[in-house]
């Protein structure tokens, strides 16, 4: 048996977004959700380091409040972490467009951000994924962009919550543009490097890949060389990407290859 | 007073959860000995194969190379018995048969005979199967032949689809096995629950009185409840035993606990209550406990100082759980302990919508290495 929101990963994937599933997400929830009437945007107010440090808390909850605390987590690299297909405790008392039962009727998205000065502005890749993700969910449900609210707009009494820190009307305008088809198509990472004379284009690698090219990569990022792209290699890639100001998604595409090459030959 | 009666209810739920955990553990021990589920599975296969005594097609099926590996000993059909069906003995039989193995083996037997020596030597096709099944000399019973022919008819000439049809037929039957097993479990757990209640003298009424009169006992029970719901899974047998002993409940037999005269009525009622409660099962009580603890956390005044996690935020940190404003919802505190089932569900629903996250204490942060693998975002 699984809860109602099992359609979320497919919808997000077809919007060109990165999606990662937590264990047993289909069965997770405080019972099932009701009819979905919108999407509520949050930020986690979690730690500053890492891609999605709050994921454990979102799944398991915290002292005094059992998880799941949202349906979707959004990492700093724009990856959606699917936490639960059932009801989550994310909304609390509040009201948006007449809906007061937020946990029952809203999908909650918790984006990783401290909510403090040390984490502003939000990464472009995360904001872009936030807008596209919300638009994809609303599009699937046949709801307009106005069905998306910030937790700070929903929560009552007003001022009880400050999340998310970004401007919600501008965010909704962006969502409306995607829903209306006037926004540009999502930019996907190419499958391999562009063909250049005298060089074999290297394939884009991500977790799960194996082979000689992975071993090369592991040497470049200083991970244990075993030819298998696992969680530790991915974490090393993310660290390297952060150092160079790339999107720290652990996916080794053309840009990351280029940067890793430059790093390995400092004299060149 | 409101919180007291809620705590009393929590205490009772904890006791029921622990007793039913013990009963479930005993039931599992009995199942490990008897393998009732395997017996039911065999019975269902006999029914499907129209082989009441299990010595014809069923025997050939269990001895088929595709299935014989699932058996721990060779198949000896036992005569069908009616008595004590809920304690049926299935030792040596497989407790699980994959639908695909069943379908492959049965179709193979249809094509090549029970021992693989009959029929044409050629590969199996829908036509060769149909010819074999329509052959009046086919050893299979007419009912089985009809079922298989139907599977062929609805396969539109595709052997894989025909096998899938047979698998569906098998899976339908397995749903029935689950039903039998569930009913048998309910009976056995009830018998176990009565035994546990009597041997342990677990009298719900006496325990409720104990919680009512003794605040320390109530608090201890609520504390156990908090540790129990902090874990994602229902307690194990060992945990249940530990907590039960720590609670120091008025249970067990002593000279003073033997009921006198008029006490018998209440005592028997208390036993029955415990036994019925335990029959509902540990998962049920664990679920109820989780929900009631949610209600409690919404009506309870906060125990921790709200400032303990504060950094220099732009607002006061959110309380761990937001206490609903009295106007926002019907006060759950007034309704919770005494209301009936539907009302309780409504209170839970209201309470659940009062909970939110963002900010507050965080658990252990997830490192990048612990994150699950992502898909998507790359051109295909």
């Amino acid at each position: 048996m699984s809860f109602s929101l099992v359609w979320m990963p497919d919808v997000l994937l077809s919007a060109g977004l990165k999606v990662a599933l937590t264990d047993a997400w289909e069965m997770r929830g405080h019972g099932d959700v009701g009819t979905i009437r919108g999407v509520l945007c949050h930020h986690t107010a979690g730690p500053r380091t890492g891609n999605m440090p709050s994921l454990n808390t979102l799944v398991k909850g915290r002292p005094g409040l059992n998880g799941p605390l949202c349906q979707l987590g959004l990492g700093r690299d724009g990856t959606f972490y699917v936490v639960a297909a059932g009801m989550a405790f994310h909304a609390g008392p509040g009201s948006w467009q007449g809906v007061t039962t937020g946990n029952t009727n809203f999908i909650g998205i918790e984006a990783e951000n401290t909510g403090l000065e040390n984490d502003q502005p939000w990464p472009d890749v995360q904001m872009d994924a936030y807008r596209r993700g919300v638009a994809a969910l609303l599009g699937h449900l046949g709801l307009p962009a106005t069905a998306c609210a910030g937790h700070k707009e929903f929560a009552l009494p007003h001022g009880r919550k400050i999340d998310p820190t970004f401007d919600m009307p501008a965010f909704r305008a962006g969502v409306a543009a995607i829903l209306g088809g006037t926004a540009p198509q999502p930019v996907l990472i190419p499958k391999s490097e562009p063909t250049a004379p005298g060089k074999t284009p290297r394939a884009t690698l991500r977790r799960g890949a194996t082979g000689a090219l992975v071993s090369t990569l592991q040497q470049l990022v200083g991970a244990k060389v075993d030819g298998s792209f696992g969680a530790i290699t991915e974490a090393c890639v993310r660290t390297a990407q952060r150092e160079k100001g790339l999107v720290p998604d652990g996916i080794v595409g053309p840009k990351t290859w280029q940067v890793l090459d430059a790093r390995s030959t400092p004299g060149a | 007073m409101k919180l007291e009666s809620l705590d009393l209810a929590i205490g009772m739920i904890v006791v029921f959860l622990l007793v039913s955990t013990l009963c479930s553990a005993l039931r599992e021990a009995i199942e490990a000995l008897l393998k009732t589920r395997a017996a039911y599975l065999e019975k269902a296969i006999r029914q499907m194969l129209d082989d009441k005594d299990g010595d014809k097609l069923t025997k050939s099926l269990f001895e088929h190379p595709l299935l014989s590996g699932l058996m721990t000993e060779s198949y000896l059909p036992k005569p069908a018995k009616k008595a004590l069906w809920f304690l049926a003995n299935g030792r040596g039989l497989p407790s699980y048969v994959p639908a695909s193995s069943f379908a492959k083996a049965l179709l193979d037997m249809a094509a090549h005979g029970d021992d693989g020596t009959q029929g044409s030597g050629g590969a199996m096709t829908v036509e060769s199967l149909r010819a074999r099944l329509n052959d009046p000399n086919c050893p299979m019973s007419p009912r089985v032949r009809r079922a298989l022919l139907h599977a062929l008819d609805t396969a539109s000439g595709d052997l894989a689809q025909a096998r899938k049809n047979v698998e569906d037929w098998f899976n339908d039957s397995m749903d029935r096995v689950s039903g039998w097993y569930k009913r048998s479990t309910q009976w056995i757990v009830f018998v176990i629950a009565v035994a546990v209640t009597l041997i342990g003298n677990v009298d719900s009424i006496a325990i409720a009185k104990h919680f009512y009169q003794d605040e320390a006992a109530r608090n201890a029970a609520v504390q156990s409840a908090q540790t129990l719901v902090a874990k994602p899974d229902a307690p194990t047998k060992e945990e249940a035993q530990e907590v039960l002993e720590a609670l120091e409940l008025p249970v067990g037999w002593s000279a003073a606990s033997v009921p006198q005269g008029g006490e018998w009525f209440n005592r028997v009622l208390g036993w029955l209550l415990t036994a019925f409660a335990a029959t509902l099962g540990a998962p049920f009580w664990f679920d109820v406990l989780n929900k009631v603890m949610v209600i409690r956390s919404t009506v309870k005044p906060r125990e921790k100082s709200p400032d303990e996690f504060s950094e220099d935020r732009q607002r006061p940190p959110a309380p761990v759980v937001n206490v609903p404003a009295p106007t926002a919802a019907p006060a759950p505190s007034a309704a919770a302990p005494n209301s009936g089932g539907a009302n309780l569900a409504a209170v839970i629903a209201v309470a659940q919508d009062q909970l939110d996250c963002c900010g507050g204490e965080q658990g252990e942060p997830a490192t990048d290495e612990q994150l699950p693998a992502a898909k998507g975002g790359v051109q295909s």
Side-chain angles (χ1 to χ4, degrees):
Chain A
M1 196 210 69
S2 45
F3 291 126
S4 302
L5 298 175
V6 285
W7 49 267
M8 295 188 301
D10 287 340
V11 166
L12 295 170
L13 280 171
S14 27
L17 296 163
K18 290 168 287 207
V19 178
L21 307 174
T22 60
D23 283 339
W25 64 277
E26 304 102 313
M27 318 268 293
R28 190 168 292 121
H30 303 279
D32 207 353
V33 288
T35 310
I36 297 299
R37 304 202 186 282
V39 176
L40 212 53
C41 299
H42 307 253
H43 70 234
T44 56
R48 175 69 187 85
T49 49
N51 190 47
M52 188 89 229
S54 306
L55 189 62
N56 287 341
T57 308
L58 297 180
V59 169
K60 293 180 196 145
R62 56 156 187 257
L65 186 58
N66 284 339
L69 301 185
C70 63
Q71 277 81 20
L72 297 168
L74 177 57
R76 294 193 159 98
D77 68 348
T79 298
F80 276 95
Y81 291 91
V82 184
V83 172
M87 193 209 279
F89 292 159
H90 64 91
S95 172
W96 180 255
Q97 297 195 321
V99 179
T100 55
T101 45
N103 288 337
T104 310
N105 301 111
F106 283 130
I107 293 176
I109 305 180
E110 284 280 357
E112 193 65 70
N113 191 281
T114 63
L116 306 176
E117 287 304 318
N118 66 4
D119 211 3
Q120 313 295 334
W122 291 43
D124 287 341
V125 66
Q126 191 184 17
M127 282 310 298
D128 185 57
Y130 216 156
R131 283 187 289 264
R132 289 185 190 280
V134 169
L137 298 174
L138 293 177
H140 176 85
L141 293 159
L143 294 170
T146 48
C148 157
H151 196 200
K152 61 183 172 187
E153 297 174 300
F154 172 82
L156 287 176
H158 284 296
R160 187 171 70 82
K161 290 285 173 182
I162 59 151
D163 62 316
T165 49
F166 51 77
D167 180 46
M168 282 309 293
F171 181 83
R172 270 190 292 274
V175 171
I178 298 166
L179 280 172
T182 54
Q185 286 297 304
V187 181
L188 297 180
I189 302 169
K191 211 160 59 168
S192 68
E193 289 182 305
T195 37
K199 264 184 80 181
T200 328
R202 286 166 292 189
T204 293
L205 298 179
R206 75 190 316 178
R207 199 153 140 193
T210 51
L213 196 54
V214 174
S215 301
T216 315
L217 167 71
Q218 286 170 329
Q219 273 166 2
L220 287 174
V221 297
K224 197 175 138 241
V225 178
D226 60 359
S228 152
F229 198 144
I232 296 176
T233 309
E234 186 185 59
C236 293
V237 172
R238 284 190 204 268
T239 309
Q241 287 170 326
R242 266 183 211 118
E243 279 170 19
K244 299 291 170 186
L246 296 174
V247 173
D249 56 6
I251 301 175
V252 185
K255 284 184 201 163
T256 307
W257 277 123
Q258 208 181 354
V259 162
L260 289 177
D261 288 344
R263 211 169 68 146
S264 66
T265 52
Chain B
M1 184 57 216
K2 295 156 199 158
L3 203 55
E4 278 86 338
S5 37
L6 188 59
D7 287 355
L8 192 155
I10 290 172
M12 295 313 293
I13 295 169
V14 168
V15 172
F16 292 153
L17 169 63
L18 299 176
V19 173
S20 53
T21 303
L22 293 183
C23 293
S24 307
L26 283 170
R27 196 273 171 274
E28 271 159 37
I30 293 178
E31 171 65 17
L33 275 179
L34 279 181
K35 301 227 184 282
T36 307
R37 197 184 157 80
Y40 290 166
L41 194 150
E42 189 229 5
K43 185 178 160 200
I45 291 182
R46 283 189 195 189
Q47 281 188 0
M48 288 176 75
L49 300 182
D50 194 19
D51 181 7
K52 215 170 163 191
D53 297 318
D55 51 358
K56 293 188 278 289
L57 203 50
T58 313
K59 186 167 160 58
S60 320
L61 184 83
F62 277 120
E63 284 168 359
H64 193 281
L66 280 171
L67 290 184
S68 59
L70 299 167
M71 315 273 293
T72 50
E73 45 199 81
S74 58
Y75 180 71
L76 284 175
K78 280 179 239 145
K81 261 194 302 189
K82 279 246 148 61
L84 279 184
W85 62 274
F86 58 85
L87 285 173
N89 184 337
R91 261 174 289 182
L93 294 168
S95 47
Y96 173 71
V97 172
S100 61
S101 305
F102 173 86
K104 282 178 200 157
L106 191 62
L107 288 178
D108 177 58
M109 282 157 55
H112 302 122
D114 289 357
D115 47 5
T117 55
Q118 295 160 30
S120 63
M124 184 199 305
T125 63
V126 172
E127 285 68 37
S128 76
L129 270 173
R130 193 189 301 280
R132 284 276 301 163
L133 289 167
N134 281 323
D135 183 348
N137 295 328
C138 176
M140 288 182 167
S141 89
R143 273 177 57 190
V144 180
R145 277 153 67 184
R146 240 184 100 183
L148 288 181
L149 279 169
H150 177 75
L152 294 178
D153 289 343
T154 48
S156 45
D158 180 9
L159 192 61
Q161 181 61 41
R163 199 164 65 211
K164 171 126 200 328
N165 292 343
V166 177
E167 282 174 23
D168 290 345
W169 177 42
F170 178 75
N171 285 332
D172 288 346
S173 213
M174 288 307 107
D175 290 347
R176 217 165 53 220
V177 171
S178 302
W180 290 340
Y181 183 69
K182 216 167 153 185
R183 255 173 295 159
S184 121
T185 292
Q186 275 165 350
W187 276 109
I188 295 176
V189 169
F190 181 68
V191 172
I192 294 173
V194 169
V196 166
T197 311
L198 286 181
I199 294 170
N201 185 22
V202 191
D203 173 357
S204 291
I205 296 176
I207 296 173
K209 267 189 199 147
H210 169 68
F211 281 139
Y212 180 73
Q213 288 159 353
D214 188 345
E215 192 188 342
R218 226 162 38 222
N219 290 342
V222 170
Q223 229 163 37
S224 326
Q226 267 155 353
T227 35
L228 288 171
V229 298
K231 290 182 197 140
D233 301 311
T236 62
K237 189 189 74 174
E238 286 75 21
E239 286 167 346
Q241 240 163 354
E242 209 172 288
V243 178
L244 257 186
E245 277 161 27
L247 282 180
E248 295 180 349
L249 299 170
V251 296
W253 288 102
S254 67
S257 65
V258 177
Q260 306 289 326
E263 287 171 22
W264 272 106
F265 179 76
N266 267 351
R267 184 64 63 88
V268 171
L269 199 68
W271 285 337
L272 277 178
L273 267 175
T274 315
F276 274 119
T279 314
L280 291 173
F284 172 83
W285 288 114
F286 189 60
D287 192 40
V288 172
L289 187 64
N290 268 303
K291 289 187 166 154
V292 175
M293 290 308 278
V294 167
I295 296 182
R296 189 176 191 277
S297 64
T298 60
V299 299
K300 173 192 68 161
R302 270 178 50 74
E303 283 159 2
K304 289 182 192 155
S305 145
D307 294 322
E308 76 189 32
F309 193 67
S310 93
E311 300 165 357
D312 239 346
R313 305 252 163 155
Q314 300 160 14
R315 48 149 185 161
V320 170
V321 167
N322 296 291
V323 178
T327 48
S333 52
N338 304 321
S339 51
N343 203 349
L344 185 68
V347 170
I348 290 170
V350 169
Q352 285 189 337
D353 271 310
Q354 304 301 315
L355 297 172
D356 69 1
C357 51
C358 307
E361 279 178 77
Q362 286 243 356
E364 193 66 23
T367 63
D368 284 349
E369 286 171 25
Q370 292 168 346
L371 296 176
K375 293 183 291 186
V378 177
Q379 283 173 4
S380 50

